[in-house]
Amino acid sequence: MSESTNQPAAQLPSRDAANWAKPVDGLRVGDISPEATNLNVEGKQLSGPLAGFGQMWQKTYRIRLSGADVTPEQVIKLWKENFATFWPKGNRFFGGVGIEPGQVAVLNLAGPGGVNAPGGGPLISTGIMVIYADDESFSFMTPQGHMFAGMITFSAERETNPDSEAEQTALTTCAQVQALVRASDPIYEIGFRLGLLKEEDIFWKYTLTALADFFGVHGEEPDLKIVLVDPKVQWAQAKNVWHNSAVRTGLYTLAAPVRWIRRQMN
């Protein structure tokens, strides 16, 4: 892993307007599986990196699909159609089939090693909105209460293979996850600084490794580059703790016996 603090934050390129989601006043969850724990998404506002509390980071996870005869477009097409199948065990994505601009999905997230809450529920129920999607990339933005306020972009591109004798002609497709994020509130920021939120790095490295395995690329290690974009915290955003999805999901889980009793009485 390499670290640097002198690189600029990534900017999404200006492209066809049809690839962008339309502005919304609040998120609306459509029909999703009854298996989903649908919390902390409906009616929430999107929360970009400027709306978060903690230090702002740019994290870039990248893997080379060495030896795979596959184009960036093919990688993104398959990734969008099977997005959550590459996630670590215990984490689920409820958002319909494929990835489309404007799509709102509910995320049920587990802890380290796929650990769920008592009863099998998620440790955190939150969501995302797809703000951009084309043939070579797609981007999510997080809602209020998510662990991170920010944007995550998934992309694929060709790059020259430095190990090839024909360096100028041998191209390899690379898949990448790039996050521009800051902890949403003081609770998440404390967890991040204590290393409790390092699961994010494990999560996306696992995802890229699983994606590479699908294309027959085994043993390739994802690269991680971290840039500290803004070392300051934003105390004005400390109020975001009210929306904390981990706290709200925990309270929902603890109240399960009460909900069961009410159902029996009705």
Side-chain angles (χ1 to χ4, degrees):
M1 179 180 76
S2 60
E3 298 191 14
S4 172
T5 58
N6 59 359
Q7 299 181 30
Q11 298 293 325
L12 282 176
S14 176
R15 298 183 180 178
D16 192 340
N19 298 122
W20 290 92
K22 293 180 173 59
V24 295
D25 294 328
L27 299 183
R28 297 290 178 266
V29 179
D31 294 333
I32 60 173
S33 170
E35 297 179 7
T37 299
N38 184 4
L39 303 173
N40 310 310
V41 182
E42 186 73 25
K44 295 292 186 182
Q45 302 293 318
L46 288 174
S47 182
L50 296 180
F53 171 81
Q55 296 176 320
M56 187 188 297
W57 298 88
Q58 178 181 281
K59 292 189 171 187
T60 304
Y61 312 83
R62 189 175 178 88
I63 194 166
R64 295 173 59 85
L65 304 180
S66 302
D69 184 16
V70 60
T71 66
E73 292 82 2
Q74 290 171 327
V75 171
I76 293 301
K77 182 177 186 297
L78 180 129
W79 206 351
K80 289 194 293 188
E81 292 174 350
N82 304 274
F83 183 69
T85 62
F86 302 113
W87 280 14
K89 176 185 176 182
N91 297 280
R92 304 190 67 182
F93 179 98
F94 298 96
V97 178
I99 301 291
E100 299 291 341
Q103 178 181 356
V104 175
V106 171
L107 312 183
N108 284 182
L109 304 178
V115 175
N116 290 117
L123 289 184
I124 300 178
S125 177
T126 181
I128 57 89
M129 177 175 172
V130 181
I131 61 169
Y132 183 88
D134 67 11
D135 292 339
E136 294 186 0
S137 69
F138 55 100
S139 297
F140 297 164
M141 188 172 283
T142 57
Q144 294 168 309
H146 194 282
M147 297 82 70
F148 296 101
M151 180 173 63
I152 304 178
T153 298
F154 307 83
S155 61
E157 64 180 7
R158 291 281 205 180
E159 73 171 22
T160 302
N161 186 348
D163 299 323
S164 172
E165 295 180 0
E167 184 173 335
Q168 299 304 315
T169 58
L171 297 178
T172 298
T173 295
C174 297
Q176 176 176 289
V177 179
Q178 186 171 76
L180 181 62
V181 295
R182 63 199 321 157
S184 293
D185 64 42
I187 294 177
Y188 287 133
E189 178 69 2
I190 291 171
F192 185 85
R193 296 197 183 204
L194 292 177
L196 302 179
L197 298 181
K198 286 294 185 181
E199 280 299 305
E200 178 203 22
D201 296 341
I202 297 172
F203 189 103
W204 294 123
K205 285 183 175 182
Y206 180 101
T207 297
L208 287 176
T209 300
L211 180 67
D213 284 344
F214 181 89
F215 289 107
V217 179
H218 309 294
E220 191 80 33
E221 286 290 329
D223 174 59
L224 170 59
K225 293 184 179 179
I226 302 177
V227 179
L228 178 58
V229 179
D230 182 3
K232 301 185 297 295
V233 300
Q234 301 192 129
W235 287 104
Q237 303 299 334
K239 62 184 183 296
N240 291 346
V241 72
W242 172 255
H243 299 283
N244 188 293
S245 56
V247 172
R248 287 174 174 261
T249 306
L251 293 174
Y252 177 85
T253 300
L254 291 174
V258 176
R259 293 194 301 275
W260 183 85
I261 293 172
R262 286 178 176 175
R263 286 196 300 270
Q264 300 308 306
M265 295 176 64
N266 291 334

